[in-house]
Amino acid sequence: MIENILEEKYGEYLEGLDIYENKTSLKLSRIVIKPEFRQTGLGSKIMEDLVNYADQNKKIIALKRAKSNLHFVKKLFAWHKIENEIFTAKFIERT
């Protein structure tokens, strides 16, 4: 499971990681980087690993709806080179 893989690889840098996985999807609830490791690109590396895992295993990534996740949504769109402003606007309206 990807949560275990990421915890093994990045555990010393994390305050929290919650990813729920089933046959078809990954639900990213939270990634919390320890303060001393923020702004180092570590969160981006974790997200890149998560996206690669999802792609390799043909799973979608769902995000827990919260205003604080908007940053992740924008990064996720960038990694997948998705430029769907209508969907982005609808997501923002719902949060």
Side-chain angles (χ1 to χ4, degrees):
M1 308 267 295
I2 187 62
E3 183 173 2
N4 295 335
I5 293 167
L6 294 175
E7 283 179 343
E8 186 174 312
K9 186 173 182 180
Y10 300 106
E12 66 186 281
Y13 309 107
L14 296 171
E15 282 188 358
L17 178 67
D18 293 316
I19 303 169
Y20 306 99
E21 184 171 354
N22 63 33
K23 291 180 182 180
T24 60
S25 66
L26 305 170
K27 182 179 179 184
L28 174 58
S29 183
R30 72 182 183 127
I31 296 175
V32 182
I33 308 295
K34 291 179 181 177
E36 62 268 28
F37 300 110
R38 294 178 187 166
Q39 302 296 316
T40 63
L42 188 60
S44 294
K45 288 178 186 176
I46 293 169
M47 287 297 292
E48 186 174 352
D49 286 356
L50 180 67
V51 168
N52 288 338
Y53 178 88
D55 288 345
Q56 290 168 3
N57 291 280
K58 298 182 179 12
K59 295 185 181 206
I60 63 168
I61 298 173
L63 300 175
K64 182 179 175 185
R65 279 186 15 191
K67 289 184 181 184
S68 62
N69 284 344
L70 185 57
H71 178 71
F72 285 123
V73 171
K74 289 179 181 178
K75 283 203 169 203
L76 200 56
F77 286 160
W79 279 310
H80 280 285
K81 297 178 177 61
I82 295 172
E83 295 185 16
N84 186 339
E85 293 178 15
I86 294 169
F87 178 80
T88 304
K90 287 183 179 178
F91 181 87
I92 292 168
E93 287 173 12
R94 290 180 163 176
T95 57

